[in-house]
Coordinates of all heavy atoms in Angstrom, one line a residue:
E228 N 172.3 23.3 105.3 CA 171.7 23.4 106.6 C 170.7 22.2 106.7 O 170.6 21.6 107.8 CB 170.9 24.7 106.7 CG 171.9 25.9 106.9 CD 171.1 27.3 106.8 OE1 169.9 27.3 106.5 OE2 171.8 28.3 107.0
A229 N 170.0 21.9 105.7 CA 169.0 20.8 105.7 C 169.7 19.5 106.0 O 169.2 18.6 106.8 CB 168.2 20.7 104.4
L230 N 170.9 19.2 105.4 CA 171.6 18.0 105.6 C 172.0 17.9 107.1 O 172.0 16.8 107.6 CB 172.8 17.9 104.7 CG 172.7 17.3 103.3 CD1 174.0 17.2 102.6 CD2 171.9 16.1 103.3
K231 N 172.4 19.0 107.6 CA 172.8 18.9 109.0 C 171.6 18.6 109.9 O 171.7 17.9 110.9 CB 173.4 20.3 109.4 CG 174.8 20.5 108.8 CD 175.3 21.9 109.2 CE 176.6 22.2 108.5 NZ 177.1 23.5 108.7
R232 N 170.4 19.1 109.6 CA 169.2 18.8 110.3 C 168.9 17.3 110.2 O 168.4 16.6 111.1 CB 168.0 19.6 109.9 CG 168.1 21.0 110.3 CD 166.7 21.8 110.2 NE 166.3 21.7 108.8 CZ 166.6 22.6 107.8 NH1 167.4 23.6 108.1 NH2 166.0 22.5 106.6
V233 N 169.1 16.7 109.0 CA 168.7 15.3 108.7 C 169.7 14.4 109.4 O 169.4 13.4 110.0 CB 168.7 15.1 107.2 CG1 168.7 13.6 106.9 CG2 167.6 15.8 106.5
A234 N 171.0 14.7 109.3 CA 172.0 13.8 109.7 C 172.6 14.1 111.1 O 173.3 13.3 111.7 CB 173.2 13.7 108.7
G235 N 172.4 15.2 111.6 CA 172.9 15.6 112.9 C 174.3 16.1 112.9 O 174.9 16.4 111.8
P236 N 174.9 16.2 114.1 CA 176.2 16.9 114.1 C 177.4 16.1 113.5 O 178.5 16.6 113.4 CB 176.4 17.0 115.7 CG 175.6 15.9 116.3 CD 174.5 15.7 115.3
S237 N 177.2 14.9 113.1 CA 178.3 14.1 112.5 C 178.6 14.5 111.1 O 179.7 14.0 110.6 CB 178.0 12.6 112.6 OG 176.9 12.3 111.7
I238 N 177.8 15.3 110.5 CA 178.1 15.7 109.1 C 178.8 17.0 109.0 O 178.5 17.9 109.7 CB 176.8 15.7 108.3 CG1 177.1 15.9 106.8 CG2 175.8 16.8 108.7 CD1 176.0 15.4 105.9
N239 N 179.7 17.1 108.0 CA 180.3 18.3 107.6 C 179.7 18.8 106.3 O 180.1 18.3 105.3 CB 181.8 18.1 107.5 CG 182.5 19.4 107.1 OD1 182.0 20.5 107.2 ND2 183.7 19.2 106.6
S240 N 178.8 19.7 106.3 CA 178.1 20.1 105.1 C 178.2 21.6 105.0 O 178.0 22.4 105.9 CB 176.6 19.7 105.2 OG 175.9 20.1 104.0
E241 N 178.7 22.1 103.8 CA 178.9 23.5 103.5 C 178.2 23.9 102.2 O 178.0 23.1 101.3 CB 180.4 23.8 103.3 CG 181.2 23.5 104.5 CD 182.7 23.7 104.2 OE1 183.0 24.3 103.2 OE2 183.5 23.2 105.0
G242 N 177.7 25.1 102.2 CA 177.1 25.7 101.0 C 177.9 26.9 100.5 O 178.3 27.7 101.3
H243 N 178.2 26.9 99.2 CA 179.0 28.0 98.6 C 178.2 28.6 97.4 O 177.8 27.8 96.5 CB 180.3 27.5 98.1 CG 181.2 26.9 99.2 ND1 181.9 27.6 100.0 CD2 181.3 25.6 99.5 CE1 182.6 26.8 100.8 NE2 182.2 25.6 100.6
V244 N 177.9 29.9 97.5 CA 177.2 30.6 96.4 C 178.3 30.9 95.3 O 179.1 31.7 95.5 CB 176.5 31.8 96.9 CG1 175.8 32.5 95.8 CG2 175.6 31.5 98.0
L245 N 178.1 30.2 94.2 CA 179.1 30.3 93.2 C 178.5 30.0 91.8 O 177.7 29.0 91.7 CB 180.3 29.3 93.5 CG 181.5 29.3 92.6 CD1 182.3 30.6 92.7 CD2 182.4 28.2 93.0
T246 N 178.9 30.6 90.8 CA 178.5 30.3 89.4 C 179.6 29.6 88.7 O 180.7 30.0 88.7 CB 178.2 31.6 88.6 OG1 177.2 32.3 89.3 CG2 177.7 31.3 87.2
I247 N 179.3 28.4 88.2 CA 180.2 27.6 87.4 C 179.8 27.6 86.0 O 178.6 27.2 85.6 CB 180.3 26.2 88.0 CG1 180.7 26.2 89.4 CG2 181.2 25.3 87.1 CD1 180.7 24.8 90.1
P248 N 180.6 28.2 85.1 CA 180.2 28.2 83.7 C 180.0 26.8 83.0 O 180.8 25.9 83.3 CB 181.3 29.0 83.0 CG 182.5 28.9 83.9 CD 181.9 28.7 85.3
M249 N 179.0 26.7 82.2 CA 178.7 25.5 81.5 C 179.2 25.7 80.0 O 178.9 26.7 79.4 CB 177.2 25.1 81.5 CG 176.8 24.8 82.9 SD 175.0 24.5 83.0 CE 174.8 23.2 81.7
P250 N 179.9 24.7 79.5 CA 180.3 24.8 78.1 C 179.1 25.1 77.2 O 178.1 24.4 77.3 CB 180.9 23.4 77.8 CG 181.3 22.9 79.1 CD 180.3 23.4 80.1

Side-chain angles (χ1 to χ4, degrees):
E228 291 171 352
L230 273 187
K231 289 177 184 175
R232 286 192 304 273
V233 168
S237 66
I238 187 159
N239 177 22
S240 180
E241 300 175 12
H243 301 278
V244 179
L245 183 66
T246 300
I247 299 176
M249 293 176 55

